[in-house]
Amino acid sequence: MIEALFACALLLTTTPILLLFMNDLSTYYSSTFINDAKAHQLFVFLQEELNHTQTVQLSSKEVLLTLHNGDLISIKLNGTNIVRQVNGYGQERLVFDVADFQCRQYEHSFSISVTLKGGSPIEKYYTYPPQPKWL
Amino acid sequence: MLRSNHKGMFLLDTLFSFSLLLFLSLSLIPVLHLLTKQQIALETERAMSRELHNELIKTIPYPSSHERSLTINGVEAIIRMEDEGELLKGCMIWEDLRSGGERMLCLYAAPIKMPEDSQ
């Protein structure tokens, strides 16, 4: 009986400590990791979109892309989501839980800065798409 | 006879369950630790490649050879830009958390032909 009580006491003492330790290990970096991956997915998606783009127009919170087929793509912050619209229709959600979305224009490039909830700003620079020779 | 003699039952039971718990806990901790380490290393690698690409884009209009050091996710790194004439070469060097050795990532870009250059 004493052994059982001893083991039980030991178990009750160690379990919360182990749980806390494992919880700490598994979540300490995971939120920044996931945030970073989400933003990266947007950057890759935008780069692929730029490969089909003829012209880029920027405002502080919106990217407007005119594709070679004439479609007008809008990527902007809507509430806490970054959404993509084609010719003003539909809303394809690209990233959620966004705290801030900023676009900056430079002479030869532009940048997109995404701040996810609880995270720090992640900035990505892009070059303007080259004009095709047939234009 | 055996059924009536169960004095060691509790001790064996608790010892077995406790050893099982210890085994599971102790095998899980290193796995979780390794997983977290790999996640951080991957995140660092992504951040490094992003920063290198950003630097390369900023350098494209004004090609020059230069070098600077920076810290990303607590990891010290060196960005080295080399103007190789036809191409601009950008390299990022940092200490890899996974292997412990030096990690190098290089990207190339074609400098923009400015109007005065093309003449």
Side-chain angles (χ1 to χ4, degrees), chain B residues 41-58:
Chain B
L42 273 175
E43 188 194 340
T44 307
E45 197 173 321
R46 274 201 304 273
M48 294 286 178
S49 65
R50 187 179 62 238
E51 194 58 41
L52 175 62
H53 194 244
N54 284 349
E55 184 77 13
L56 202 64
I57 285 174
K58 282 187 257 184

Side-chain angles (χ1 to χ4, degrees), chain A residues 23-68:
Chain A
N23 192 40
D24 191 44
L25 265 180
S26 62
T27 57
Y28 189 67
Y29 287 103
S30 63
S31 96
T32 56
F33 173 76
I34 294 164
N35 278 354
D36 169 65
K38 267 159 62 176
H40 252 266
Q41 199 178 18
L42 172 76
F43 296 149
V44 172
F45 183 84
L46 188 60
Q47 183 59 64
E48 285 190 10
E49 198 91 270
L50 280 168
N51 294 339
H52 307 282
T53 299
Q54 193 178 321
T55 55
V56 181
Q57 286 173 282
L58 291 168
S59 68
S60 62
K61 301 269 180 191
E62 188 177 12
V63 186
L64 284 168
L65 310 171
T66 311
L67 302 190
H68 289 299

Side-chain angles (χ1 to χ4, degrees), chain A residues 25 36 107 123-125, chain B residues 21 36 46 53-54 57 62:
Chain A
L25 265 180
D36 169 65
E107 197 181 349
E123 195 173 28
K124 181 79 186 73
Y125 280 71
Chain B
L21 177 84
T36 313
R46 274 201 304 273
H53 194 244
N54 284 349
I57 285 174
Y62 317 102

